[in-house]
C-alpha cells in the first residue's frame, strides 16, 4: 500500500534531541528554540518569530493579540481547518465565512469587502496547499477599513507572494510543523509578528502572561504577572527536532517539487480532456509542493476514485468539510453574525440560512489529495498517475 504521508527524518533529529537533553536546559526558549527563531527571522524577514507547540497555539496567540472581544467579527474562508476559526471563537468572536475562489480553494479576495461591518476586526486568509492568497488585495482592504490580517500559513512554509515570504505580509502569521507538513517536529508551530505594536505583548502571552523574556534579557530585574497568556512555548526537544529539518529544508523542498511536477505533467492529459481539474497556481504565487490535489467532477466520482485507488494499493484522501455547515457552527448561534441566525432542515441535517458558499462546497465534495512525501519514489508516482488514468479510461 502506498501511504498518503510518511514523515521524513533527516538523520540528525535524535542527535540534536540528545544534545538538548544533556545540555541541562529542557524547557522552552533555550539554544534550539533561539536558533530556529533566528533562522526564520533572518531567512524570511519576519520582525519577530516565536516557536509554539502547534499552529493552533499560534492562532490562539494571534486571537489574543488582536484583542478580540465578544461580538467582534472575523472574516475567514469556510474551506479550512477548524483551528483557523476556533482560536477566534474561543475569544468570543463571530465568524463571517467567505467563499473560496472558483478555481482555487483560497479565500476569494473580491468577496471580502461586502462582508465587512462596523464590528469586523480581523481577516484570516489561509494559504491553501501553500499557495498564496491575493495578499495585495487583502492588505489594501485591511488598510482601508483598519483591520488586522492574520495569515494562516500552516501549510505555507517557504512559499512566496510576488517574491515576499508568506507569513511576512499580514500583521501576524501562523505556521504548522505537524508531521504532515513539509518540515516537521511531530507537533509544532510558529507565530510571526510583522507589526511592531504586537511584539512586546506576544512574548508575554507566550510566557504565561509574564514578562520573563525581558527578565532573561536583563531588561528588568524581576518578572511577574502582567497580562493574559498561556504556556505556548514548546520544550527544547521540539525545537531540536525541527532544527534538523530546517538544515535540510532545501533538499526536502526540491524533492517535493519534483514529485509535484511529475504528478502535474502525468495528469495534464486527463485535465486537458476535462476529466479532472489540476491545482491552479496564480502567477503571483509560488508552489512549495506541500500538497498535490486534483478536483473531481462530482462527489460520487471522487468517492469512486478514492475507492478504486485504495483497491489498487494507493491511499488518497479528501480534505476539509465546509465549516459553515458544521454541527458546531449550526448549533452555536453566538459564533455567527446577526444576519445568519436562522437554521433550516436540509435532508436530515440542520443548516444556517443565507450562507451560500458554492465554491467552498465544491472543493469539500470534489477535492482529493494524492500521496505526497519526500520518500515517495518516481516509480510510485508513475504508478499513481497510471492508476488514475486507468480509472478515467474505465
Ligand atoms: C490551514 C490550517 N490551519 C491550522 C492548522 C492547525 O495546525 P496544527 O496541527 O499545527 O495545530 C492546520 C493543520 O493542518 C491547517 O491545515
Amino acid at each position: 500500500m502506498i501511504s498518503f504521508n510518511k514523515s521524513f527524518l533527516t538523520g540528525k533529529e535524535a542527535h540534536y534531541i540528545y544534545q538538548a537533553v544533556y545540555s541541562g536546559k529542557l524547557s522552552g526558549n533555550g539554544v534550539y528554540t533561539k536558533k530556529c527563531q533566528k533562522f526564520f527571522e533572518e531567512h524570511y524577514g519576519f520582525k519577530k518569530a516565536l516557536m509554539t507547540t502547534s499552529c493552533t497555539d499560534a492562532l490562539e496567540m494571534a486571537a489574543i493579540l488582536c484583542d478580540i472581544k465578544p461580538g467582534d467579527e472575523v472574516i475567514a474562508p469556510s474551506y479550512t481547518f477548524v483551528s483557523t476559526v476556533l482560536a477566534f471563537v474561543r475569544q468570543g468572536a463571530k465568524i463571517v465565512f467567505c467563499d473560496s475562489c472558483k478555481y482555487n480553494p483560497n479565500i476569494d479576495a473580491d468577496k471580502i469587502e461586502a462582508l465587512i461591518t462596523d464590528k469586523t476586526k480581523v481577516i484570516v486568509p489561509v494559504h491553501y496547499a501553500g499557495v498564496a492568497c491575493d495578499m495585495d488585495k487583502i492588505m489594501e482592504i485591511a488598510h482601508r477599513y483598519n483591520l488586522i490580517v492574520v495569515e494562516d500559513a500552516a501549510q505555507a512554509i517557504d512559499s512566496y507572494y510576488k517574491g515576499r515570504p508568506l507569513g511576512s505580509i499580514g500583521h501576524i502569521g501562523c505556521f504548522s510543523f505537524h508531521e504532515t507538513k513539509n518540515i516537521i517536529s511531530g507537533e509544532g508551530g510558529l507565530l510571526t509578528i510583522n507589526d511592531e505594536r504586537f511584539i512586546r505583548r506576544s512574548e508575554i502571552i507566550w510566557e504565561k502572561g509574564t514578562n520573563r523574556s525581558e527578565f532573561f534579557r536583563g531588561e528588568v530585574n524581576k518578572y511577574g504577572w502582567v497580562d493574559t497568556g498561556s504556556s505556548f512555548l514548546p520544550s527544547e526537544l521540539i525545537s531540536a527536532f525541527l532544527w534538523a529539518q530546517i538544515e535540510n529544508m532545501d533538499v526536502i523542498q526540491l524533492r517535493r517539487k519534483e514529485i509535484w511536477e511529475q504528478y502535474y505533467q502525468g495528469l495534464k492529459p486527463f485535465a486537458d480532456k476535462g476529466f479532472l481539474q489540476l491545482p491552479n497556481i496564480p502567477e503571483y504565487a509560488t508552489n512549495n509542493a506541500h500538497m498535490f490535489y486534483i478536483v473531481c467532477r462530482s462527489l460520487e466520482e471522487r468517492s469512486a476514485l478514492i475507492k478504486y485507488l485504495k483497491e489498487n494499493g494507493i491511499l488518497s484522501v479528501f480534505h476539509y468539510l465546509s465549516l459553515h455547515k458544521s454541527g458546531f457552527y449550526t448549533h452555536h448561534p453566538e459564533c455567527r453574525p446577526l444576519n445568519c441566525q436562522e437554521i433550516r432542515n436540509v435532508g436530515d441535517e440542520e443548516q444556517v440560512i443565507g450562507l451560500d458558499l458554492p465554491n467552498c462546497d465544491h472543493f469539500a465534495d470534489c477535492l482529493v489529495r494524492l500521496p505526497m512525501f519526500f520518500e515517495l519514489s518516481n516509480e510510485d508516482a508513475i504508478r499513481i498517475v497510471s492508476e488514475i488514468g486507468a480509472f478515467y479510461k474505465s
Side-chain angles (χ1 to χ4, degrees):
M1 181 68 85
I2 304 177
S3 60
F4 170 67
N5 180 54
K6 181 170 180 253
S7 303
F8 172 60
L9 298 178
T10 69
K12 282 284 194 72
E13 288 81 358
H15 174 66
Y16 292 147
I17 288 175
Y18 181 93
Q19 282 193 340
V21 168
Y22 289 98
S23 72
K25 171 93 171 94
L26 283 171
S27 61
N29 208 6
V31 173
Y32 281 106
T33 303
K34 291 196 174 101
K35 263 166 107 88
C36 292
Q37 292 177 175
K38 188 162 178 281
F39 168 84
F40 289 125
E41 284 167 8
E42 287 179 353
H43 203 73
Y44 297 117
F46 308 132
K47 288 212 173 86
K48 180 92 194 157
L50 289 174
M51 297 292 298
T52 58
T53 51
S54 63
C55 182
T56 302
D57 265 5
L59 285 158
E60 287 183 4
M61 285 185 71
I64 298 172
L65 283 168
C66 293
D67 208 18
I68 294 291
K69 298 273 188 316
D72 287 343
E73 291 179 8
V74 171
I75 298 175
S78 176
Y79 192 73
T80 185
F81 195 68
V82 178
S83 304
T84 309
V85 296
L86 182 57
F88 293 91
V89 165
R90 279 165 56 95
Q91 296 298 116
K94 292 177 182 293
I95 306 300
V96 179
F97 284 118
C98 186
D99 204 2
S100 298
C101 301
K102 190 162 173 49
Y103 297 107
N104 171 330
N106 282 343
I107 192 166
D108 185 342
D110 291 328
K111 295 201 176 124
I112 292 176
E113 193 165 357
L115 302 174
I116 294 175
T117 71
D118 57 0
K119 300 223 168 357
T120 309
K121 205 160 195 182
V122 182
I123 306 172
V124 194
V126 178
H127 306 299
Y128 186 75
V131 176
C133 298
D134 195 344
M135 290 307 291
D136 278 352
K137 272 191 194 162
I138 293 171
M139 295 310 290
E140 189 277 321
I141 294 170
H143 285 135
R144 210 148 28 88
Y145 288 90
N146 197 21
L147 307 176
I148 304 169
V149 174
V150 175
E151 294 180 70
D152 182 336
Q155 307 168 5
I157 195 70
D158 203 41
S159 204
Y160 297 78
Y161 171 81
K162 297 186 180 171
R164 299 168 68 191
L166 298 185
S168 76
I169 305 168
H171 303 85
I172 299 173
C174 303
F175 290 88
S176 174
F177 304 121
H178 180 264
E179 69 169 10
T180 48
K181 302 299 183 292
N182 291 30
I183 57 167
I184 63 170
S185 55
E187 301 281 352
L190 176 75
L191 180 82
T192 61
I193 308 281
N194 307 305
D195 182 326
E196 306 271 355
R197 77 188 137 134
F198 296 122
I199 290 182
R200 178 166 185 265
R201 196 162 181 236
S202 67
E203 281 187 330
I204 291 168
I205 291 166
W206 192 58
E207 279 273 27
K208 302 113 183 150
T210 73
N211 56 345
R212 187 153 70 168
S213 298
E214 290 171 354
F215 173 70
F216 284 146
R217 284 197 297 266
E219 293 164 14
V220 290
N221 57 12
K222 59 181 182 350
Y223 76 90
W225 183 14
V226 293
D227 202 340
T228 187
S230 190
S231 186
F232 287 117
L233 80 170
S235 94
E236 273 290 280
L237 307 191
I238 299 280
S239 298
F241 191 113
L242 188 70
W243 184 249
Q245 299 265 319
I246 288 175
E247 280 186 332
N248 285 275
M249 188 157 64
D250 290 348
V251 181
I252 293 171
Q253 298 294 76
L254 200 66
R255 176 64 193 142
R256 292 183 78 104
K257 285 177 193 170
E258 281 172 5
I259 298 167
W260 197 98
E261 202 52 39
Q262 214 178 340
Y263 275 140
Y264 192 90
Q265 294 309 333
L267 292 170
K268 199 163 175 307
F270 302 100
D272 291 343
K273 289 198 184 98
F275 289 133
L276 52 90
Q277 195 187 313
L278 290 171
N280 160 257
I281 316 260
E283 89 289 349
Y284 52 68
T286 59
N287 170 28
N288 72 347
H290 168 61
M291 180 195 299
F292 194 93
Y293 67 80
I294 59 177
V295 185
C296 299
R297 291 171 294 191
S298 67
L299 174 60
E300 295 68 36
E301 189 176 270
R302 181 183 74 177
S303 306
L305 175 62
I306 291 175
K307 183 165 172 282
Y308 176 87
L309 291 176
K310 194 167 179 197
E311 283 163 2
N312 287 282
I314 297 160
L315 270 186
S316 61
V317 284
F318 57 87
H319 211 182
Y320 308 129
L321 301 175
S322 302
L323 289 183
H324 68 283
K325 290 183 171 169
S326 64
F328 189 90
Y329 195 68
T330 308
H331 296 115
H332 286 79
E334 72 282 5
C335 66
R336 302 200 298 267
L338 281 180
N339 60 345
C340 293
Q341 286 301 308
E342 282 181 68
I343 52 177
R344 65 172 168 201
N345 285 322
V346 180
D348 53 1
E349 282 189 349
E350 288 183 318
Q351 274 175 21
V352 179
I353 293 185
L355 271 180
D356 191 21
L357 307 178
N359 298 334
C360 167
D361 290 339
H362 178 64
F363 291 115
D365 284 348
C366 300
L367 185 148
V368 55
R369 296 174 292 161
L370 303 182
M372 169 57 87
F373 50 90
F374 182 86
E375 286 169 277
L376 188 77
S377 66
N378 289 344
E379 293 70 37
D380 280 347
I382 290 167
R383 186 159 88 77
I384 294 164
V385 168
S386 104
E387 288 296 356
I388 294 173
F391 172 80
Y392 280 106
K393 277 181 203 141
S394 66

